[in-house]
Each structure stands twice: as structure tokens, then as C-alpha cells.
Amino acid sequence: VQMAASEEFYIDDERRFLMNLLMVGAGAVTVGGFGIPYILFFVPPGSGTGAGGIPAKDALGNDIMAKAYLDSKPVNDRSLAQGLKGDATYLIVKEDKTLETYGLNAVCTHLGCVVPWSAASNKFMCPCHGSQYAPDGAVVRGPAPLPLALAHCDVGEDGKIMFSPWTESDFRTGEKGWWN
């Protein structure tokens, strides 16, 4: 009688291993299904491609083509385009009808107003609190504490105007840019 009872409770090690593997696998899939999206929520998205920057966009969201843009703008023109992070950024046309190698972020460093260009005064003048910026974005008159942020402005191989982050020192102050 005792022999029959011990055969009845025989434990199959391979079956136990398989069941443990299935349980751990099901738990890992469940935790991964909830955990991976949770972790990815805290990873910031990339902005454009790594090497070429992001294309400048007009008010309608269309890419700006350099040739057509330069043909339609006068010398020393400063017009707004959508730049890095979607911020308004000035494209500057030089005397020789080419683009300046930098774009100026149009957001005032005092309280975040969009700073318009005043051609009559030859400077950027904030309508909110009277800050004024030189044509290169340096502060002329406060209360703005810092110059306008810079972005590289280049023409891509496909003819589009491209913005990329300015990581070098600020040529107006000689120091590291505050926006980096």
C-alpha cells in the first residue's frame, strides 16, 4: 500500500521547469508591456536628423527653399521662420543676397515675448517691456538680461534652409551660449 502511494505523487522535474519558465515568461511580458512605455515616456524625442538639422518652415508649415526665399526678399531682410523646437527664428539676408550663417531666436529673454524687427530703428524692439536688441541679437537696452539665442542656418543639399543647434561659444559675448 505504501509503494502505490509514493508512485502516485511522483514529481516530474522537466514539467516543473517548464511551468516555472512559463510563469516567469508571462510575468516578464506583463512587466515589459507596462514598464517599457513608462520608461520611454521620460526619454525626450530627437529633433530632426543628427547631421543636417531641421528644415526651416514658413507660416503654413511648408519647408522654405533657399533660392525662392532669397529671390523674394530684399537685402538686410529679417523674416520669421519656424526654427528649432518650433520657436520663431529670424532668417537674415546679407548684403550679397545670401543667408547669414546664423538665425536669431525671436523669443525675448526677459519674459518670452516675440520680438519684432524694426527696420526704421535697425534693431529688434520688444513691445512688452521695451527691451532692445542689436541686429546681431545682442542686448542694447534692458530689462532683457541675455542676448537672443542663436541657431546655425545652412542650405541643405536639397536646397532647403536648415537650422541646427548652436553649440559653440556666442560670438557676441565670447562665452558659452546660455541656451546650451
Side-chain angles (χ1 to χ4, degrees), residues 9-113:
F9 294 112
Y10 173 72
I11 299 172
D12 185 2
D13 285 336
E14 289 179 26
R15 183 175 289 164
R16 174 178 269 182
F17 177 74
L18 180 64
M19 292 304 290
N20 284 341
L21 193 62
L22 287 173
M23 289 292 289
V24 169
V29 167
T30 303
V31 168
F34 286 110
I36 291 173
Y38 179 79
I39 291 170
L40 291 178
F41 174 79
F42 294 103
V43 177
S47 60
T49 60
I54 63 163
K57 302 209 179 270
D58 62 14
L60 299 175
N62 301 316
D63 293 344
I64 300 175
M65 304 302 287
K67 182 169 178 7
Y69 180 82
L70 290 170
D71 288 344
S72 67
K73 301 294 180 183
V75 171
N76 292 326
D77 181 69
R78 284 164 171 76
S79 297
L80 287 173
Q82 181 179 331
L84 299 173
K85 302 177 190 168
D87 284 346
T89 304
Y90 280 101
L91 291 170
I92 303 168
V93 180
K94 297 190 295 188
E95 293 283 338
D96 60 355
K97 288 287 279 185
T98 60
L99 284 173
E100 190 66 67
T101 57
Y102 61 88
L104 292 172
N105 188 314
V107 177
C108 181
T109 58
H110 177 231
L111 289 177
C113 306

Side-chain angles (χ1 to χ4, degrees), residues 166-178:
W166 188 282
T167 55
E168 299 83 18
S169 62
D170 186 342
F171 62 86
R172 301 164 297 191
T173 63
E175 299 173 359
K176 184 178 188 318
W178 61 265

